[in-house]
Amino acid sequence: MKFVNFIKKEPVLFAAILLAFISVLFVRPEPVLVFNSIDFRVICLLFCLMIVIQAFRTTNLLDWIALKLLSFCNNQKSLYFVLVFIVFFISMLVTNDVTLLTFVPLTILICEKANHSACRLIILETLAANLGSSVTPMGNPQNLFLYSFFNFSTAEFFRTTLIIGIPSIVILTIMILFICRNRKNDEKTTFFLQETEQPFVKIDFRFWVYFVCLVFSLLTVFRIVDYRITLFITIVLMLICNKKLFKNVDYGLLLTFAGFFIFIGCLSALPQVSSYLKSVLSSAYSTYLAGIFSSQVISNVPAAILLSGFTANPKELLLGVNVGGLGTLIASLASIISFKLYKNSDSQSCTESFFVKFSVYNLGLLIILGIVVWTLNSY
């Protein structure tokens, strides 16, 4: 029973472990090949970013920033613009899942007080988180991996991801204007913003320690500081400041990365399989489509890892798995977070309506942005 519950709770992790086990069983690689197939730089850096972001969540900084900006809202349209674009830009720095974990509960609370449905706003925030996080290397795990794996230069990476980022701002703006075109309910969203108390930001010595760790992590992302130095500094400082933070790290995601690394390493050792996959992913267009469609089934993080070892088109893979975060609910794991938070909210009972609207918005945007991004990339 516990095993079944584990599969239900961590299906991607289970798949990664199973694939790694089967590939090792059939390929029987040398232990050194298995060890060398794991990208420890990515795993260690991901660990550092996760624990630092969890540390900043304890300071209430994001909540303070959000409510400060919300104090300027005086109607429904301004509320939508502020919340959606806060999520869009903050997800570039603290990952899409953490951004949604912070802002979706806040959005539900605000909409409860305003007697306003949170459904469309949370869907837009989810879209914004997935699109905004696609712009930076630290915005989501697949970007961090691809940035490291293909050794992108910083300029090349941002030239590529802005092909997604800039059209996304335009499309999100149009969507907000369309949703808020009816101004009848504007006055209902004004009264609670002044009533909401500003959270106390805990700025003490630990805040500045967290900031130092964040700086080291960012310097490591951009290959200025060695990841082993950052890992050592982060572990030591976090042990001194707040040992409880180690419990909040998503170790399942780290093991998922390791499992897929081993699986790809074993597949690469088989000449027939490797040559076939490379032929399938030989063109830029096929790589782009493979990134989009595989993300719909297994989500964009494992899709990026699985396809990375068999393509010579890193730019198109980066675009494909990020655009592929749209579409189905499982295309991006961050989307599942939004759905669960909305579903578990006491005041939100229409989860079927949420799912239907989410699917319509996401699939529609996937088609539009997919065409726009490929067209811009072709020039």
Side-chain angles (χ1 to χ4, degrees), residues 15-180:
I17 294 173
L18 183 64
L19 288 172
F21 176 77
I22 292 173
S23 62
V24 169
L25 189 66
F26 280 92
V27 178
R28 297 184 183 279
E30 294 292 328
V32 66
L33 186 149
V34 175
F35 182 82
N36 289 336
S37 65
I38 300 174
D39 192 333
F40 288 102
R41 180 184 184 275
V42 170
I43 291 177
C44 290
L45 186 50
L46 194 56
F47 167 83
C48 292
L49 284 169
M50 282 194 291
I51 198 169
V52 169
I53 290 167
Q54 290 297 330
F56 269 108
R57 286 192 71 196
T58 65
T59 67
N60 295 324
L61 180 62
L62 291 182
D63 303 80
W64 183 86
I65 292 172
L67 290 174
K68 206 68 174 172
L69 289 171
L70 284 170
S71 65
F72 297 102
C73 297
N74 55 16
N75 55 47
Q76 186 188 46
K77 189 184 296 182
S78 61
L79 178 70
Y80 271 59
F81 269 109
V82 168
L83 279 172
V84 170
F85 282 105
I86 285 177
V87 169
F88 182 85
F89 289 107
I90 287 184
S91 66
M92 297 180 187
L93 301 175
V94 298
T95 74
N96 50 2
D97 55 346
V98 171
T99 305
L100 291 173
L101 281 168
T102 301
F103 286 96
V104 170
L106 178 63
T107 301
I108 291 172
L109 175 64
I110 288 171
C111 289
E112 284 176 1
K113 290 187 176 183
N115 193 26
H116 179 77
S117 172
C119 182
R120 283 190 173 86
L121 184 50
I122 291 175
I123 291 171
L124 287 177
E125 287 177 351
T126 307
L127 292 173
N130 287 326
L131 293 171
S133 65
S134 68
V135 177
T136 63
M138 56 279 184
N140 53 51
Q142 73 267 14
N143 276 11
L144 185 63
F145 165 68
L146 293 173
Y147 180 77
S148 175
F149 184 84
F150 289 111
N151 200 29
F152 277 101
S153 69
T154 302
E156 182 185 13
F157 182 91
F158 282 109
R159 275 199 303 269
T160 302
T161 57
L162 284 174
I163 295 175
I164 299 174
I166 293 174
S168 296
I169 293 174
V170 176
I171 293 172
L172 286 171
T173 299
I174 294 171
M175 291 177 73
I176 293 171
L177 291 174
F178 178 77
I179 290 171
C180 298

Side-chain angles (χ1 to χ4, degrees), residues 286-350:
S286 64
T287 300
Y288 179 68
L289 288 181
I292 291 176
F293 288 115
S294 59
S295 296
Q296 305 308 303
V297 181
I298 60 175
S299 86
N300 52 8
V301 174
I305 303 172
L306 286 173
L307 299 177
S308 61
F310 308 103
T311 183
N313 302 287
K315 181 180 175 182
E316 285 70 28
L317 179 58
L318 177 62
L319 292 172
V321 294
N322 278 299
V323 173
L326 304 170
T328 63
L329 184 64
I330 63 170
S332 170
L333 297 178
S335 300
I336 299 176
I337 291 173
S338 287
F339 179 73
K340 287 182 177 179
L341 289 171
Y342 183 87
K343 182 180 178 181
N344 295 335
S345 173
D346 293 336
S347 64
Q348 311 301 333
S349 57
C350 301

Side-chain angles (χ1 to χ4, degrees), residues 355-365:
F355 180 77
V356 171
K357 289 176 182 176
F358 177 92
S359 300
V360 170
Y361 278 75
N362 268 266
L363 289 172
L365 188 54

